[in-house]
Amino acid sequence: MRVLVIGSGGREHALVWKLLQGSQVDTVFVAPGNGGTAGEKGAVNVPVAVDDLDGLVDLARREHVDLVVPGPELPLTLGITDRMAEAGIACFGPDTHCARLEGSKAFAKKLMERAKVPTARCAVFHDAKAAAAHIRTAGAPVVIKADGLAAGKGVVIAQTEEDALHAIEDIMTSRSFGAAGDTVVVEELLEGEEVSLLCLCDGTHALPLPSAQDHKRVFDNDRGPNTGGMGAYSPAPVLPDADLERLADITVRPILRVLAEDGHPFVGVLYAGLMMTPDGPRVLEYNVRFGDPECQPLLMRLEGDLPALMLDAVHGRLPAGTLPHSSRTAVGVVMAAEGYPGSYAKGMTIKGIDTANALPDVKVFHSGTKLKDGALLSSGGRVLCVTALGRDLAEAQARAYDAVKTISMPQSFYRHDIGAKGIRRLSGR
Ligand code: AMP
Ligand code: GLY
């Protein structure tokens, strides 16, 4: 079997690594891939960009690819699944209609309302004056969200009315995120612990993966601006295995039902970002793909044949039951370039990855690296995701940080508290 993975981050490195373990897989092409995927035996990087749909279809045809696995949201919202379907090639991802769940927050809110999924109360505005008038009446705190894709920056938690009005001005009038901000969602601020629930979906059925928790803020103790994610672990004690089915019933399966009714069965990963509030779980957002870095610890734990599962999903025949996974805990720590998520230096030399990978149950996934003349250099803001398995969260965390310490990269940093929230919850503090 020949597979094509689309993307170049840590999530895609983990996908390539796991797909290569599939019993039927001999080659995984990666478009465009990174320094880590280049080093996986059986993987071949091909320089095609994630938004070059024509180039991706040509590549899949030319290489007789049996399964396409898009990593990031962009090719999905642009319609890669529809294009591969036209070419008769299996693609493990939602069609353009379903991808709007991530591409438009207003669309997602409407669907949640129809499907009776619990979420924050909200109002949707296409006009800055009307949004401002609503805020003056409803007051603060309040959450303002640009409707479209804004690279994770389109959400403002406004503590005061003034901040909220400023956010409306910034998003709708100054158009800081371009057309993504022509519509805004204004919603109630929820309190609680966040957790991610990802399900493999075949249009009708949803099989939950174990829970995972991301760390979105750049600095320790959840301080500083939001990032793509500075680390993740699985399972998150706030969402134990015993609750997965119930939560999938509340937050994922109703959405599949509504989409199927509309003639667009959802295939791929449906990711519900949840806030566990004192009044029960609430959906903050949907993603239509694996999260990065949640994917890395999740795939370290998954024990099934991933490419076979993905093909089953595309053909609407995911097996009933639960996904086989290790009972161990996985922790992934992101090493990033200084300055991220703002501007940062590139081209730093990275050393020590082989030493880290030789430690027991450690795998270093590359997020932003490239090989140049045999040397491994940083090429992105998030550079590595150092991931380890352990008997429990404390052991996995210790192993991940021991591995991080064997790696040297100038002008880099990482959070020191990945998994700390889970450890506090487990110890009842
Ligand atoms: P989103 O892109 O909708 O996931 O928002 C990004 C982040 O903003 C989430 O991970 C939360 O930390 C925060 N957030 C979004 N919506 C809310 C809300 N209604 N209440 C509190 N925090 C929120
Ligand atoms: N780590 C969050 C995301 O992938 O959207």
Side-chain angles (χ1 to χ4, degrees):
M1 181 168 161
R2 294 155 77 80
V3 184
L4 167 61
V5 170
I6 302 170
S8 61
R11 162 184 50 210
E12 288 75 26
H13 186 185
L15 283 166
V16 168
W17 169 81
K18 188 71 196 173
L19 288 162
L20 281 166
Q21 294 168 25
S23 56
Q24 308 291 317
V25 173
D26 32 59
T27 308
V28 177
F29 299 93
V30 202
N34 62 32
T37 58
E40 295 292 338
K41 197 165 167 285
V44 182
N45 284 359
V46 187
V48 179
V50 302
D51 61 353
D52 178 3
L53 301 198
D54 290 337
L56 292 167
V57 173
D58 285 350
L59 170 63
R61 277 212 176 101
R62 190 169 69 237
E63 295 295 351
H64 305 285
V65 162
D66 305 291
L67 171 69
V68 177
V69 183
E73 60 277 19
L74 185 60
L76 292 166
T77 54
L78 291 176
I80 191 66
T81 303
D82 314 60
R83 291 290 306 275
M84 290 294 173
E86 281 160 28
I89 300 167
C91 182
F92 178 75
D95 67 12
T96 327
H97 179 84
C98 295
R100 289 185 70 207
L101 261 183
E102 178 164 0
S104 164
K105 293 190 189 292
F107 176 85
K109 280 290 194 183
K110 219 178 269 169
L111 225 52
M112 282 189 253
E113 197 181 309
R114 270 180 66 200
K116 301 195 169 52
V117 168
T119 183
R121 281 191 306 270
C122 81
V124 176
F125 297 96
H126 308 286
D127 170 75
K129 274 208 187 95
H134 170 84
I135 285 164
R136 284 198 194 92
T137 317
V142 70
V143 183
I144 317 284
K145 300 183 173 185
D147 177 59
L149 293 180
K153 293 181 186 147
V155 176
V156 178
I157 313 274
Q159 294 298 343
T160 64
E161 198 176 302
E162 196 186 339
D163 288 351
L165 292 171
H166 184 79
I168 294 291
E169 169 80 24
D170 188 44
I171 297 172
M172 298 195 91
T173 313
S174 312
R175 299 183 91 228
S176 298
F177 307 110
D182 289 348
T183 299
V184 295
V185 174
V186 178
E187 71 179 32
E188 142 196 43
L189 179 75
L190 298 173
E191 310 273 358
E193 190 171 337
E194 278 183 60
V195 66
S196 308
L197 172 64
L198 286 74
C199 294
L200 301 188
C201 302
D202 70 358
T204 322
H205 308 102
L207 286 186
L209 289 152
S211 66
Q213 190 170 54
D214 191 8
H215 296 64
K216 287 203 165 91
R217 303 295 199 94
V218 69
F219 299 128
D220 288 5
N221 302 315
D222 295 332
R223 285 177 299 114
N226 268 333
T227 67
M230 293 298 294
Y233 64 102
S234 170
V238 67
L239 176 42
D241 283 4
D243 289 347
L244 290 171
E245 283 295 323
R246 186 176 64 84
L247 269 279
D249 277 344
I250 297 174
T251 64
V252 173
R253 292 179 181 127
I255 294 289
L256 293 200
R257 217 154 29 235
V258 170
L259 286 169
E261 271 167 28
D262 292 347
H264 291 279
F266 187 105
V267 171
V269 171
L270 186 52
Y271 165 143
L274 306 178
M275 184 75 92
M276 305 303 267
T277 78
D279 303 322
R282 300 281 182 275
V283 174
L284 292 176
E285 62 160 349
Y286 288 106
N287 294 321
V288 297
R289 51 170 174 84
F290 280 102
D292 186 344
E294 294 93 321
C295 184
Q296 292 85 316
L298 283 173
L299 293 190
M300 286 280 279
R301 297 186 61 213
L302 188 70
E303 282 176 343
D305 188 317
L306 185 61
L309 280 167
M310 286 177 165
L311 273 182
D312 282 347
V314 174
H315 295 119
R317 50 162 202 240
L318 271 178
T322 52
L323 289 170
H325 60 264
S326 158
S327 59
R328 294 195 290 172
T329 296
V331 172
V333 177
V334 169
M335 297 181 75
E338 258 171 33
Y340 174 78
S343 58
Y344 52 84
K346 292 182 186 175
M348 281 90 81
T349 303
I350 307 162
K351 292 199 176 127
I353 289 186
D354 290 345
T355 315
N357 275 330
L359 294 170
D361 296 313
V362 169
K363 175 72 187 174
V364 180
F365 296 110
H366 297 217
S367 308
T369 70
K370 64 174 184 191
L371 284 169
K372 196 170 173 213
D373 307 325
L376 188 69
L377 305 179
S378 75
S379 62
R382 292 190 290 176
V383 181
L384 301 171
C385 181
V386 182
T387 312
L389 283 168
R391 267 168 314 189
D392 54 22
L393 181 50
E395 186 180 80
Q397 187 192 48
R399 284 179 163 178
Y401 280 108
D402 283 347
V404 164
K405 286 179 193 122
T406 70
I407 297 171
S408 77
M409 174 170 61
Q411 296 179 66
S412 67
F413 74 100
Y414 54 89
R415 273 183 64 156
H416 302 82
D417 62 346
I418 304 302
K421 220 177 266 167
I423 287 177
R424 277 200 299 275
R425 184 170 282 274
L426 289 172
S427 64
R429 272 181 288 140

